[in-house]
Amino acid sequence: MVEYDAKTALIVVDIQNDFADPAGSLYVKGGEAVVPVANREIERAKAAGALVVYTQDWHPASTPHFQKDGGIWPVHCVAHSWGAQFHPDLRVEGEVVQKGTGGEDGYSGFSVRDPRTGTVGPTKLESLLRGRGIERVVIIGLATDYCVKETALDAAKLGFQTTVLREGVRAVNLQAGDEERAFEAMRAAGVRIE
Ligand code: VGL
Ligand code: ZN
């Protein structure tokens, strides 16, 4: 069981319809199962005075992130669409950090990357955490092998003590084994898998 306090932030990654609803365009198998886990952790975090923040994949209708525009993904999480909305059962009580809004790949909650130029820029997440004196982060959400992994790797690199709650994440597994490789990469970077 992870412990929360005022210097800990719970980061809830991309629990949006396109990933978490079986009818979503990039449905992650078992994605809906993370919703009650997230709600339980949000409750525990809040009770302990921890910060709760949410990330939201938020793409324009056309972006090189999408297959149809030269990328690898089906169209998903288009700004303001049903698929981009948080799962209706998710408790949303905290600040939301949107990523990919300018057509970038936004895998990490901390940074976005222009797929054409490779330029990486920050989101508001780090300054939000620093402003609250956060030292530790707990990460849950979707998907283990993309946004959860990249968010956890960035968090560890930025010096936050980082824990990923295994029960609260699910993987895309585009290739067999991606999930295990993601856990390995996170562990190698000093992330605790709980
Ligand atoms: C994600 C693929 C494309 C994620 C976002 O949230 O893990 N995966 N965009
Ligand atoms: Zn995306």
Side-chain angles (χ1 to χ4, degrees), residues 31 34 39 42 78 87-88 158 184:
V34 307
N39 287 342
I42 291 161
V78 171
H87 189 286
L158 290 168
E184 272 319 306

Side-chain angles (χ1 to χ4, degrees), residues 14 19 26 57-59 65-66 73 76-77 99 106-107 147:
D14 298 4
F19 302 123
L26 192 38
D57 214 32
W58 199 258
H59 298 298
H65 185 66
F66 294 158
W73 301 109
H76 64 275
C77 298
K99 57 197 174 58
Y107 295 118
C147 292

